[in-house]
Amino acid sequence: MPTPVTTDTPRPAAPWLNQALPRLRGLEPIRSYGYAGELLHDDGRADLAAYGARVADLAVRLGDALLSYGGSAEEAVAGMLVTAETYGLSYCEPGVTLSEVALSGYAPGELTPLHARRVIRRHGTDYRALGRVHSLVDRIGARQLSLEEARAEAARILDAPAESGRWARRRVPVQTGIVAAGASLVFGGGPRSLLCAFVAGLLGSVLCGWLGRHGVPAFYRYTVASMPAAAMALLVSRVAPPSAVPAIVVAGVLGLLPTVTFVSAVQDALTGHYLTAMGRLCDAVLVFAAVVTGVVIVLGVGDLLGFGVPLVPSVSRAEYLGTPVVGVVVFAVAVAARARTARRDWLPAAVLAVAGFAVSVEFRVLGLSALVGTALVAAGVGCAGHWVARRRRESALPLVVPGIAPLLPGGVLYGSLGALASGRTTEGLGGMVDVAAVTLALAVGVGLSGEVGQLVRRVRRGAP
């Protein structure tokens, strides 16, 4: 059989993703694209073509997992490249789209190239599993596992049985309700708004999950899922304070918005993976349009029946030291829990969220542009998240995504929804453009922080 990868090689100083980026971005000469490690030789007892096929199969399985669990396209490509070249394939060319991963390369001593592809059937956000795959690829790149050991470890991670029991089905609805409850506090709601937002988020998630299990397309699922928040807000509008209606609606909407998908789409576009970025962006826009449609339908009917649509009050400097901070913590931790982030990351995510929210309010008081302020805060949150993740040799997304969630433009979003529901289409569409611009600023700020870190590390190492 081929000589196994040795385990006494020192662990590289940089994580596997940082090591692969110069190659992926064309910063290394083409002549270095062959296998850079110790060649594996045929000892006459094994078929190297079959060995290469097992390597390629492992690489595409890990690339599939990295992309489908919420990682970026660049992470998936780097993971496949590191895996394939560590185990002896040369001239490897990995590639991804939103629906499949592919790899080509040469086994040692073979003239016929290997080709492997894997169709991605499902997408989700599971940062706990993503962290395990990151750790596995890190150990593979450090040459701590033989091929068979790596395949066995991958099988334990990827073929693990799904959650069972009552909590498995109730987990996402309950956590979505908690996300909505936290968001209601952030945007000026009180105890009554918190309870109504929790119930609305819970009902919306239950309806979305039930429709999904019956094969209903995503647009219709999210349209229905967004309706309980608007309906709940209108039901309590006659007996609740004026701030209750917008707080409940915004909370319900933010619990459904595809923030992770949008951030990933922008990151993929900024790193040159345009097909994957367009696919993710289409998914995000479709869900966003569905949520807006459901809320506008309910608010429009309510407007015809005589229910008012009050505006969201802005958060002042004095308020962020009180109830909104509690909402920010609940919001960030609930987003992290719903994305299956490891519990040790909940506290750092909450700290990042509170710090980012406080700084954003200060920027607002100082009169800084919403776009510029949001981008700066997102970049700061991203820098802190990437620094912690680098020390842990993990992905930064489990920290960064919950940290920026409370910065979403809920007030502008609700004003736009109210304008659309009452027939002020031009004003509503203009507000939606503002929402998209602020969300884009969030995603660009997060991506910018990672790129600055890469640049600083390359300059310190004296790279050209």
Side-chain angles (χ1 to χ4, degrees):
M1 63 184 348
T3 305
V5 175
T6 59
T7 60
D8 56 356
T9 304
R11 189 180 181 88
W16 55 271
L17 179 58
N18 298 330
Q19 289 182 313
L21 286 184
R23 157 79 182 276
L24 297 178
R25 297 185 179 182
L27 301 178
E28 292 182 351
I30 296 178
R31 62 178 179 272
S32 69
Y33 280 16
Y35 176 52
E38 180 182 351
L39 289 176
L40 304 178
H41 300 285
D42 187 1
D43 58 7
R45 294 180 296 169
D47 183 3
L48 281 176
Y51 172 83
R54 293 196 297 274
V55 174
D57 175 69
L58 173 63
V60 295
R61 287 199 72 189
L62 295 180
D64 176 358
L66 288 167
L67 197 63
S68 60
Y69 286 148
S72 66
E74 196 165 54
E75 286 177 334
V77 171
M80 289 191 290
L81 181 66
V82 169
T83 300
E85 292 195 339
T86 296
Y87 291 120
L89 299 191
S90 58
Y91 301 98
C92 298
E93 295 296 344
V96 303
T97 65
L98 188 64
S99 59
E100 75 171 27
V101 295
L103 175 74
S104 65
Y106 291 84
E110 294 290 329
L111 298 178
T112 304
L114 289 165
H115 298 281
R117 62 186 292 269
R118 189 176 181 89
V119 176
I120 302 175
R121 302 294 182 186
R122 299 181 65 183
H123 290 273
T125 304
D126 189 339
Y127 288 145
R128 190 174 304 167
L130 180 65
R132 292 170 183 162
V133 177
H134 262 260
S135 177
L136 174 58
V137 177
D138 193 26
R139 294 167 64 194
I140 289 173
R143 307 187 186 283
Q144 296 180 350
L145 298 173
S146 68
L147 175 61
E148 296 309 318
E149 290 171 339
R151 284 169 58 88
E153 182 66 21
R156 281 193 291 270
I157 297 172
L158 306 181
D159 299 334
E163 288 182 315
S164 58
R166 295 181 179 179
W167 176 241
R169 182 164 291 187
R170 297 173 182 174
R171 179 183 66 83
V172 172
V174 171
Q175 291 171 345
T176 302
I178 298 175
V179 169
S184 70
L185 296 179
V186 174
F187 291 97
R192 187 178 304 176
S193 299
L194 184 149
L195 178 60
C196 292
F198 174 80
V199 173
L202 179 71
L203 290 177
S205 183
V206 169
L207 289 172
C208 187
W210 182 79
L211 293 174
R213 289 191 294 272
H214 287 79
V216 177
F219 181 85
Y220 304 106
R221 295 202 310 266
Y222 281 93
T223 299
V224 173
S226 64
M227 290 182 174
M232 183 73 69
L234 293 179
L235 287 176
V236 303
S237 62
R238 296 296 176 86
V239 296
S243 62
V245 173
I248 295 171
V249 173
V250 170
V253 169
L254 293 185
L256 297 173
L257 288 183
T259 309
V260 177
T261 304
F262 190 81
V263 170
S264 298
V266 173
Q267 286 185 323
D268 289 344
L270 294 175
T271 55
H273 297 274
Y274 300 115
L275 288 178
T276 308
M278 287 301 298
R280 280 178 159 164
L281 184 61
C282 286
D283 277 353
V285 170
L286 188 69
V287 172
F288 181 79
V291 171
V292 170
T293 300
V295 172
V296 167
I297 289 174
V298 175
L299 292 183
V301 172
D303 191 58
L304 291 176
L305 297 178
F307 293 93
V309 184
L311 295 177
V312 168
S314 60
V315 180
S316 67
R317 183 177 183 180
E319 290 177 333
Y320 77 80
L321 294 177
T323 304
V325 168
V326 178
V328 167
V329 172
V330 173
F331 192 11
V333 172
V335 168
R338 188 174 59 174
R340 294 185 60 80
T341 301
R343 292 183 180 179
R344 68 170 183 167
D345 291 334
W346 293 3
L347 179 59
V351 171
L352 290 176
V354 170
F357 181 76
V359 174
S360 69
V361 174
E362 293 290 347
F363 282 167
R364 190 181 311 165
V365 172
L366 295 174
L368 193 65
S369 165
L371 287 177
V372 176
T374 300
L376 290 176
V377 174
V381 171
C383 284
H386 280 88
W387 180 78
V388 174
R390 177 171 172 77
R391 292 179 64 89
R392 296 180 177 178
R393 307 177 69 89
E394 296 175 353
S395 172
L397 290 177
L399 295 175
V400 174
V401 170
I404 65 171
L407 302 177
L408 292 170
V412 179
L413 176 61
Y414 180 77
S416 304
L417 293 173
L420 291 173
S422 58
R424 305 191 306 275
T425 306
T426 303
E427 180 183 345
L429 292 179
M432 289 299 172
V433 172
D434 289 342
V435 171
V438 174
T439 308
L440 178 63
L442 277 175
V444 171
V446 171
L448 177 64
S449 63
E451 294 304 316
V452 170
Q454 293 288 344
L455 177 61
V456 170
R457 284 189 290 272
R458 285 189 59 80
V459 171
R460 285 181 176 177
R461 290 197 302 264

